[in-house]
Amino acid sequence: MAEVLARVARLPRIGRFGWLMGLYAENYRKLVRLFEPADLVAGNYVSQGTDGLALCLHVIEQHRYTVELRMTYALRDPVTGEPDPSAFLRLYRDARQVEATHCYIGRRWQDVIGMYPPPAEVIGHRLRMNTFLGKWLDYLAERGHGVATLVRVENDSAAAEPDVKALTLTSTDR
């Protein structure tokens, strides 16, 4: 019995930061399998899945080692007018990780953790945002969203933020 207890005590433990890096790697795998964002040019895209909701994917910028994206539905928060839910993502090609840098799910990060949070609170918030992102990507895959359903939408300005009302497609638009 003492041998079993001694063996368990020597197992390495993963810290919160290590867990967060694991989430980033898992979200990278999920996002790349769904939309292959490194192959998309900057601009607005819409995906119609079986859930009846238009998913808006805005490729903000393609850099050598990173891709900056915004993912949201064609829905707006009735109080703020912001797309809800919404996530700003940064894909690191070389590290094979995706980080949700900002999420809007009814509230902004300042409302959740305050303006000057302690570092432990920031890590906890990042864990929650990236856990949400992983679950959202799983949901999108279950509902049939992906490269095959992604349609590029032309706007007046490629640098402009997507107008989610204008990005809603009907079945005849595909």
Side-chain angles (χ1 to χ4, degrees):
M1 180 75 160
E3 277 183 31
V4 173
L5 291 176
R7 200 174 332 148
V8 171
R10 286 187 272 142
L11 290 176
R13 292 184 38 180
I14 187 167
R16 289 168 47 126
F17 184 73
W19 186 267
L20 182 61
M21 294 297 107
L23 278 174
Y24 287 179
E26 186 177 338
N27 288 342
Y28 173 87
R29 183 182 50 79
K30 291 176 182 180
L31 185 67
V32 166
R33 188 173 352 121
L34 271 177
F35 299 117
E36 299 176 12
D39 295 339
L40 301 174
V41 296
N44 300 317
Y45 299 84
V46 174
S47 172
Q48 289 281 13
T50 60
D51 57 2
L53 296 172
L55 178 78
C56 303
L57 186 68
H58 179 64
V59 179
I60 299 168
E61 192 68 47
Q62 290 274 2
H63 302 284
R64 185 173 182 175
Y65 296 109
T66 60
V67 180
E68 295 178 38
L69 310 135
R70 183 176 190 184
M71 194 169 70
T72 186
Y73 283 120
L75 302 171
R76 296 240 181 220
D77 182 333
V79 176
T80 65
E82 290 288 320
D84 186 19
S86 175
F88 284 90
L89 312 175
R90 187 172 295 131
L91 180 140
Y92 300 95
R93 297 175 195 199
D94 53 346
R96 296 182 182 212
Q97 295 186 328
V98 168
E99 171 189 20
T101 58
H102 297 81
C103 282
Y104 181 81
I105 311 161
R107 299 187 299 172
R108 298 197 177 280
W109 68 267
Q110 298 93 334
D111 300 331
V112 177
I113 61 175
M115 287 300 292
Y116 305 104
E121 187 66 29
V122 172
I123 294 287
H125 183 66
R126 292 209 178 270
L127 279 167
R128 288 187 299 275
M129 282 193 310
N130 286 281
T131 300
F132 163 75
L133 175 61
K135 290 179 180 181
W136 194 8
L137 292 171
D138 287 339
Y139 175 81
L140 293 173
E142 291 170 5
R143 297 300 183 251
H145 292 278
V147 175
T149 63
L150 211 54
V151 177
R152 176 133 192 211
V153 178
E154 295 295 327
N155 277 4
D156 294 340
S157 170
E161 184 128 342
D163 179 9
V164 291
K165 289 180 185 171
L167 295 179
T168 305
L169 296 176
T170 63
S171 59
T172 59
D173 292 333
R174 284 198 239 168

